[in-house]
Amino acid sequence: MIVVMAPEGLENRHRMDEPAPEDKTQAPGLSVCVIAYNSGPTLRACLASLAAQTFTDFETLVIDNASPDAGDAAIAAEFPGVRLVRNQANLGFAGAGNQAARLARGRWFVLLNPDADADPDWLAELVAASRRHPGVKAFTSRQLMADQPGVLDGLGDVMSGYGIPYRGGYLGPDPGDTAEGEVFSPCGAAMMIDRALFLDLGGFDEQFFCYGEDVDLGYRLQLAGEPTVVVPRAVVRHVGSASSGGRKSEFAVFHGTRNRFWVVAKDTPALLLPLVVPLHLAAVVYISLRRPNRPHAGLVWRAFLAAMKGLPQVMRSRARVQKGRRVSAWRIARAMTWDPRDLTGRRPVIRPLRPTPPGGA
């Protein structure tokens, strides 16, 4: 196992010590990154599932994101060939993901959550999909609930016209091996993207820290005319929010609420803003007033204030993103769902594949 010690402090995140570059002619086809933070036993199951993959032309990077518990590094040491990076500061999922992309050597950059374990043919199915669709540069998986194999955790991420993203089919019945198609965004828990494209787009937005950075990336893929394809045969089993205390933890609610607003403000084309922003605010109020969510109403308000505080930086990012937009606002609107029943029922939205030239959109 190769161990890299990253310097302390966020200001050093782009100047990390790392092993001498290996012969690029021997670079693997894929670089699989696992970002760990107090992941415990789920990390062992995750790495064991990678060790059992039928497709073997890949490297595994584990980013220990300054876990207070030393157990994550010890678990990574159990698996020969794993490249372990031990951060001295928590860079969040976004910062650690970007760090991994810079350290990776494969053409394809693959993310797998430490609380997810993959079927043995997971990588093989993603690679096969990339060969079937040579013009597509982003793929996402079929995610099942780890403790309920017949229940979906997600089948691609969906963006609603309310500016509320969700995992398609979450907690619904697993439809099995359905047809491949385009979804709005990959889910960061189990995705594959062309690494050069990821870096060209600026990677994850590190202002987000955690939650929503994958949807923001997916939105920027949409704006660039780069489709994301869901591969139902590529299956992982996901615990979900194991490192952050669960979906209803204060951490998850705060960052999820704040970052959803930032996605709307940053990525929505100008022609759609007058419609999406009021719908988004109305949806947040409605969701907050529902009986199960009322205990978090104050937290949601604090998240909104934090979103306003960070808005100037978001708007600077918006200017760059919108300047590079390659598709019409109408095309973005068609990639979203405007049916409120999709949002309330968390229904998957998978559209037929559009012809894409081999070089991309």
Side-chain angles (χ1 to χ4, degrees):
M1 180 180 67
I2 299 172
V3 180
V4 183
M5 295 300 296
E8 185 173 4
L10 299 185
E11 69 277 7
N12 292 315
R13 69 177 65 176
H14 299 296
R15 298 188 287 105
M16 292 167 296
D17 299 328
E18 58 183 287
E22 299 178 47
D23 183 358
K24 293 297 183 180
T25 62
Q26 300 301 314
L30 279 62
S31 294
V32 182
C33 170
V34 179
I35 301 169
Y37 182 84
N38 283 4
S39 302
T42 63
L43 177 61
R44 181 178 288 108
C46 171
L47 295 179
S49 74
L50 289 175
Q53 291 295 301
T54 58
F55 180 88
T56 59
D57 183 21
F58 70 96
E59 64 175 348
T60 302
L61 292 83
V62 174
I63 308 293
D64 181 359
N65 219 3
S67 298
D69 184 350
D72 286 357
I75 290 171
E78 298 173 11
F79 295 87
V82 167
R83 297 171 63 195
L84 172 65
V85 179
R86 302 189 66 176
N87 286 338
Q88 297 180 45
N90 186 348
L91 306 184
F93 186 88
N98 292 345
Q99 176 186 21
R102 293 189 298 270
L103 289 170
R105 298 181 300 122
R107 182 228 161 155
W108 292 98
F109 180 51
V110 181
L111 285 162
L112 181 64
N113 267 19
D115 59 353
D117 59 274
D119 279 8
D121 60 353
W122 175 59
L123 289 177
E125 292 292 351
L126 289 174
V127 170
S130 73
R131 292 169 178 164
R132 286 193 298 274
H133 312 292
V136 176
K137 298 180 181 179
F139 298 88
T140 194
S141 310
R142 178 166 125 241
Q143 299 170 199
L144 305 180
M145 297 296 292
D147 57 347
Q148 303 176 73
V151 176
L152 272 178
D153 177 69
L155 197 58
D157 283 359
V158 182
M159 175 58 76
S160 70
Y162 297 84
I164 305 291
Y166 64 92
R167 291 203 297 273
Y170 180 70
L171 295 183
D174 173 25
D177 179 17
T178 57
E180 295 173 351
E182 292 187 26
V183 293
F184 190 88
S185 169
C187 177
M191 62 174 281
M192 181 175 83
I193 185 170
D194 182 279
R195 188 166 66 94
L197 174 62
F198 179 84
L199 294 172
D200 286 346
L201 289 173
F204 293 125
D205 187 332
E206 297 185 20
Q207 186 180 5
F208 283 52
F209 190 75
C210 187
Y211 286 96
E213 68 289 306
D214 52 353
V215 176
D216 168 62
L217 174 68
Y219 211 137
R220 285 183 281 130
L221 285 167
Q222 290 284 346
L223 294 170
E226 297 284 357
T228 295
V229 168
V230 62
V231 186
R233 291 185 179 181
V235 178
V236 303
R237 300 164 203 282
H238 188 211
V239 175
S241 301
S243 297
S244 59
R247 292 178 58 250
K248 294 295 185 180
S249 70
E250 289 193 5
F251 182 91
V253 171
F254 177 87
H255 286 81
T257 302
R258 182 195 67 179
N259 294 356
R260 282 194 299 268
F261 185 82
W262 282 349
V263 168
V264 170
K266 174 183 173 183
D267 299 322
T268 308
L271 286 175
L272 298 179
L273 276 174
L275 178 60
V276 174
V277 170
L279 287 175
H280 179 74
L281 295 176
V284 170
V285 170
Y286 171 75
I287 292 170
S288 299
L289 292 179
R290 294 183 63 192
R291 186 180 297 274
N293 300 325
R294 288 177 190 171
H296 290 302
L299 183 61
V300 169
W301 176 245
R302 292 197 297 274
F304 178 75
L305 294 178
M308 292 299 99
K309 184 177 180 180
L311 195 57
Q313 182 176 340
V314 170
M315 296 309 287
R316 289 192 290 271
S317 298
R318 173 184 172 81
R320 293 191 297 271
V321 168
Q322 298 300 325
K323 183 178 180 180
R325 178 161 62 94
R326 297 175 56 191
V327 301
S328 68
W330 172 240
R331 177 164 168 177
I332 296 299
R334 286 187 299 166
M336 302 162 72
T337 178
W338 299 87
D339 188 338
R341 295 172 298 179
D342 287 341
L343 175 58
T344 57
R346 299 191 182 100
R347 298 192 300 204
V349 177
I350 303 173
R351 306 187 189 281
L353 288 165
R354 291 170 290 189
T356 306

